[in-house]
Amino acid sequence: MDLRKLVERRKLTDRLFAALGICCVLIALLTLVVLMGDLARQGLSRIDWQFMTSFPSRAAARAGILSAWVGSLMIMLVTVITAVPLGVAAGVYLEEYAPKNRLTTFIEINISNLAGVPSIVYGLMALGLFIYQLGMNRSTLAGGLTLACLILPIVIVATRESLRTIPSNIREAAFAIGASKWQVVSHHLLPYSAGGIATGVIIATSRALGETAPLITIGALTFIAFLPPPPVMSEPPFVSFQWLHDEFTVLPIQMFNWVSRPQPEFQVNAAAAGLVLVAMTLSLNGAAIWLRYRMRKRIKW
Amino acid sequence: MNAERTAITHADPASTPKVSPRVVGPFKAEVRDVNFYYGQFHALKNVSMPFVDKRVTALIGPSGCGKTTLLRCFNRMHDLYPGNRYEGEIILHPDQINIISPKVEPLEMRMRIGMVFQKPNPFSKSIFENVAFGLRLQGETNRRVLADKVEAALKSAAIWDETKDRLQKGARDLSGGQQQRLCIARAIATEPEILLFDEPTSALDPIATSRIEDLIDSLRGRFTILIVTHNLQQAGRIADYTALMYKGELVEMDKTVAMFEKPSFKLTEDYLTGRFG
C-alpha cells in the first residue's frame, strides 16, 4: 500500500516536470513565432524584385537593400576567408602540437574568454588597429577583418572540440604506421573533424551576419548608393579588388537606419530587411544542421 | 605447497639465468638492460631478453607488469607522450641498430615495425585506403602496385573473401573481428620486420579470437611476432616462446612448452597455476 502511494507520488512528479518543460519550450517557441509573425506581417508584402535590386533612397517606396545585401555578402566573404584558415590552424596547433603546460592553459582560457567579449569591444579594437594604426579606410576589408577577429575564437574552439571527438587510438594507429604529425593531421584528423569545424564556422558566420555594433564603430556608412566594380570583368585587367577598398553597408545597419526614421513607410522597409536577414541566418543554420547530420553518418567511431 | 618441495622443484633465482638456454638464435631483436620511466615511475627494470627471428614470442604477466610498456618501446610509441625516458638498448638485427636510441628516428622504426592494438582501430576511410595508408607513407604511388599489395595483405590477413567486393566501403562498418583482421592487414601490408600485438583479442568474442589466433599462427615464419596477452591458454596455443614479467622485471623466458610444463621458478609456477595475477 505504502509502496503504491510512493510510486503514485513519483509519477505525479514526473508528469508535473513534463508539463513544466512543455511550458518552457512553448514560451521560447511562441516568442520566436510572434517575432517572426510580426516581421512578416509588416514586411512580407514589401519584399519584391524592386526592393532587392534598388539602392536606399529618401523615398521609402523607391528604397531597396541592394547595397546592403551585397555588402553583407562581401563582408562575410572576407571574414570567412581570413578567419577559417587562421582559426583552424590555431586550433590544430593548440590541440595537437602545443606542449601541455601553463602557458598553453593560459592561452586556452583566454581564447575561451575572447569568445565572450562584447562585439562592440572588437569594433573599438578594429577602429584603433585597422583604421588608425594600419591606415585602412572604412572599407569592406576593414569590416571583414573586424568580424574575422570576432569569430576567430569561435572557430578555434569549434576546431578543438571537433578534434577532441577523434579517439586517441586513431591517432596512435596512424603514428604506428609511421606517419609524421603533419600526416596524421592532414590525412586523418582534419578530414575526420571537417564536419564539426564547418558547423562551427557556419554558426559563427550566422552570428557575424547579424553584427551591427562593431561595424558602426569602425565607421560603416548607412547610406551607400553604389556598388563596387565587379571583381571579374570582360576587359583588362579582368579582375578587380576595388570592392575590398570601397565603403560598404550591411543589412543590419540598413535596417537600423530605417528603424530610426520617423516615417512609418520606413518601418515597413526595416521589417522587410529584417525578414531577409532572418532568412539568410536561418538558411545558414539549416546548412550547419544538414552538414552535421551528413558527417555524423559518414564518420563513426 | 610446502617449502621443501619448492626447494627441490625450483631453481634458485640468484644463480639461474632468467632466459633459458633453450632460447637460441638467430635473434631478430635483443633487449639489453632496458629501463623505462613514465616520469618518476620506474616501469621496466633491467629487462634483458632476446626475440627469435620469425617466431612468436608471448609476453605474459599480471596487469601493470610492464609487458605492454616493453612492447611499445619497439616502435617508440612512448615518444608520442612527454615525460617518458628510455635507458639501455634494444638491438635490431641484422643492422645492429639500437631501436630506443635518441639518434634513431621513431618514424623509421614505426615503418619497419608494425603494431596491432588492443581495440580494433581502423580509420574512418574505405577498407582499401586503410591498408594502402602505410604503403602510401612509404612513397608508393603506382595504382597497380598499390592494388596488388593491398590484395596480398588482405589475403594474408584472411579477410580478402569478406572484403573483395566492398573495398571502397567504410572500414568502420565491418564487425569487430573483421576490423581487427583489417588492422592486421594494414600492419603487414608494408612487410614489417617485426609485428607487435598488444592483446589483440581482448575486445573480441571467442570465435573472432580463434580466427585471429589462426591468423597469427599462419604469419609465423614470415614475421618476428611479439604478442602481449592476458590469456595464458592463448600464449600456450600460439607462442613458440613465452616470457613472464612481474613488477617491471623479467621473471623467466623459455620455450612455451617447457615453461608451461616445468617452470624454473616458483613465481612462474604460481602465476601459471593462477595463484596470483
Side-chain angles (χ1 to χ4, degrees):
Chain A
M1 206 284 279
D2 270 339
L3 217 56
R4 211 168 277 170
K5 229 178 195 171
L6 260 173
V7 170
E8 280 308 313
R9 199 182 298 161
R10 275 190 245 168
K11 276 181 147 175
L12 185 67
T13 324
D14 263 3
R15 277 195 292 271
L16 273 177
F17 187 78
L20 191 71
I22 290 173
C23 282
C24 294
V25 172
L26 280 182
I27 289 173
L29 269 179
L30 281 177
T31 317
L32 195 70
V33 167
V34 168
L35 263 171
M36 298 288 296
D38 192 45
L39 266 183
R41 190 180 50 80
Q42 281 194 49
L44 196 58
S45 58
R46 183 69 187 83
I47 297 179
D48 53 17
W49 186 249
Q50 178 271 330
F51 186 69
M52 300 299 289
T53 56
S54 300
F55 290 112
S57 160
R58 267 184 297 171
R62 271 189 289 134
I65 55 169
L66 179 63
S67 52
W69 71 257
V70 171
S72 276
L73 285 186
M74 292 190 303
I75 293 277
M76 283 310 116
L77 192 67
V78 175
T79 303
V80 169
I81 285 177
T82 46
V84 170
L86 277 176
V88 171
V92 167
Y93 174 77
L94 283 174
E95 198 58 32
E96 303 295 329
Y97 284 80
K100 303 276 173 270
N101 56 28
R102 282 196 186 162
L103 180 66
T104 321
T105 316
F106 180 73
I107 291 173
E108 283 166 5
I109 292 171
N110 274 286
I111 286 173
S112 307
N113 283 339
L114 277 180
V117 168
S119 61
I120 194 157
V121 176
Y122 282 97
L124 278 176
M125 186 277 292
L127 182 68
L129 181 67
F130 299 138
I131 311 292
Y132 293 148
Q133 288 297 320
L134 301 180
M136 293 181 190
N137 52 4
R138 294 146 203 281
S139 59
T140 312
L141 182 64
L145 290 179
T146 308
L147 293 189
C149 294
L150 183 75
I151 69 166
L152 196 54
I154 308 179
V155 176
I156 296 175
V157 171
T159 303
R160 302 189 56 202
E161 293 294 335
S162 196
L163 286 172
R164 255 182 245 162
T165 61
I166 302 172
S168 66
N169 66 13
I170 295 298
R171 290 178 180 76
E172 289 203 339
F175 279 121
I177 299 171
S180 65
K181 205 156 214 175
W182 172 244
Q183 285 169 325
V184 174
V185 169
S186 61
H187 287 70
H188 297 285
L189 303 185
L190 282 181
Y192 303 155
S193 58
I197 295 175
T199 309
V201 167
I202 292 174
I203 290 185
T205 313
S206 76
R207 179 186 162 190
L209 192 63
E211 278 300 341
T212 322
L215 296 180
I216 291 184
T217 314
I218 65 162
L221 296 185
T222 52
F223 188 89
I224 296 281
F226 62 89
L227 285 186
V232 185
M233 292 171 290
S234 57
E235 65 236 43
F238 300 114
V239 285
S240 161
F241 289 104
Q242 183 55 38
W243 61 277
L244 281 174
H245 305 291
D246 277 343
E247 291 174 317
F248 68 97
T249 192
V250 290
L251 269 171
I253 293 181
Q254 183 65 65
M255 200 180 152
F256 172 69
N257 176 340
W258 282 334
V259 169
S260 51
R261 304 262 186 116
Q263 300 93 322
E265 295 83 15
F266 279 111
Q267 305 301 319
V268 175
N269 281 0
L275 267 182
V276 173
L277 188 60
V278 169
M280 283 169 92
T281 316
L282 285 185
S283 49
L284 276 178
N285 284 339
I289 292 167
W290 177 78
L291 235 149
R292 188 161 44 201
Y293 174 75
R294 277 285 310 274
M295 289 293 169
R296 283 226 182 113
K297 259 180 45 177
R298 203 168 63 77
I299 307 277
K300 48 187 84 158
W301 302 121
Chain B
M1 185 163 301
N2 60 52
E4 197 184 352
R5 183 163 168 241
T6 307
I8 297 165
T9 316
H10 300 292
D12 172 18
S15 61
T16 315
K18 291 176 176 173
V19 177
S20 144
R22 281 182 287 260
V23 183
V24 287
F27 298 136
K28 181 61 197 171
E30 279 178 86
V31 175
R32 290 180 187 158
D33 291 318
V34 165
N35 283 280
F36 183 81
Y37 303 85
Y38 291 109
Q40 295 297 307
F41 179 67
H42 195 171
L44 292 178
K45 296 166 189 162
N46 292 314
V47 174
S48 297
M49 63 175 117
F51 292 91
V52 181
D53 193 31
K54 306 229 188 307
R55 291 290 175 270
V56 179
T57 305
L59 296 170
I60 60 172
S63 299
C65 70
K67 52 195 191 306
T68 297
T69 304
L70 177 63
L71 194 78
R72 288 166 70 97
C73 287
F74 277 81
N75 63 347
R76 298 283 294 270
M77 288 306 269
H78 299 302
D79 289 47
L80 296 175
Y81 307 97
N84 297 337
R85 191 157 54 85
Y86 309 89
E87 276 171 15
E89 295 180 319
I90 298 179
I91 301 296
L92 184 66
H93 296 301
D95 323 35
Q96 309 282 335
I97 301 173
N98 175 15
I99 293 174
I100 56 175
S101 154
K103 284 180 223 132
V104 168
E105 178 53 56
L107 292 191
E108 186 198 328
M109 285 305 118
R110 292 182 200 140
M111 286 198 261
R112 293 175 58 176
I113 297 173
M115 183 163 188
V116 176
F117 294 79
Q118 187 169 356
K119 218 176 134 210
N121 54 1
F123 304 127
S124 191
K125 292 181 184 283
S126 69
I127 291 168
F128 183 90
E129 281 307 320
N130 264 277
V131 183
F133 183 59
L135 299 165
R136 290 192 198 281
L137 286 183
Q138 304 204 354
E140 187 56 68
T141 51
N142 184 321
R143 296 173 64 116
R144 269 229 69 79
V145 179
L146 277 174
D148 288 348
K149 289 194 170 174
V150 168
E151 180 178 336
L154 288 169
K155 279 179 174 160
S156 296
I159 194 180
W160 173 250
D161 289 337
E162 294 145 87
T163 56
K164 65 183 174 201
D165 299 323
R166 47 190 296 199
L167 289 178
Q168 300 307 324
K169 297 273 166 56
R172 288 258 157 193
D173 292 330
L174 297 170
S175 73
Q178 290 174 324
Q179 288 188 15
Q180 193 63 309
R181 275 180 283 143
L182 179 67
C183 290
I184 295 175
R186 182 174 69 186
I188 62 181
T190 54
E191 294 288 326
E193 295 163 52
I194 300 180
L195 264 181
L196 310 170
F197 288 86
D198 185 6
E199 296 183 40
T201 60
S202 62
L204 304 179
D205 64 63
I207 293 169
T209 297
S210 101
R211 298 200 64 168
I212 300 279
E213 288 181 7
D214 291 346
L215 171 52
I216 292 174
D217 191 49
S218 74
L219 297 174
R220 189 196 321 269
R222 270 180 74 190
F223 302 100
T224 305
I225 293 174
L226 274 63
I227 176 169
V228 164
T229 179
H230 260 117
N231 182 334
L232 291 178
Q233 284 76 31
Q234 183 168 68
R237 283 190 296 266
I238 60 176
D240 302 293
Y241 301 92
T242 297
L244 172 67
M245 295 183 66
Y246 184 59
K247 292 185 173 170
E249 291 180 73
L250 174 67
V251 177
E252 176 176 358
M253 180 184 205
D254 203 340
K255 281 197 156 173
T256 305
V257 180
M259 185 195 260
F260 276 54
E261 278 175 3
K262 189 178 172 298
S264 301
F265 302 118
K266 182 168 185 325
L267 196 58
T268 312
E269 180 169 332
D270 286 351
Y271 184 70
L272 294 178
T273 52
R275 235 160 286 175
F276 77 95

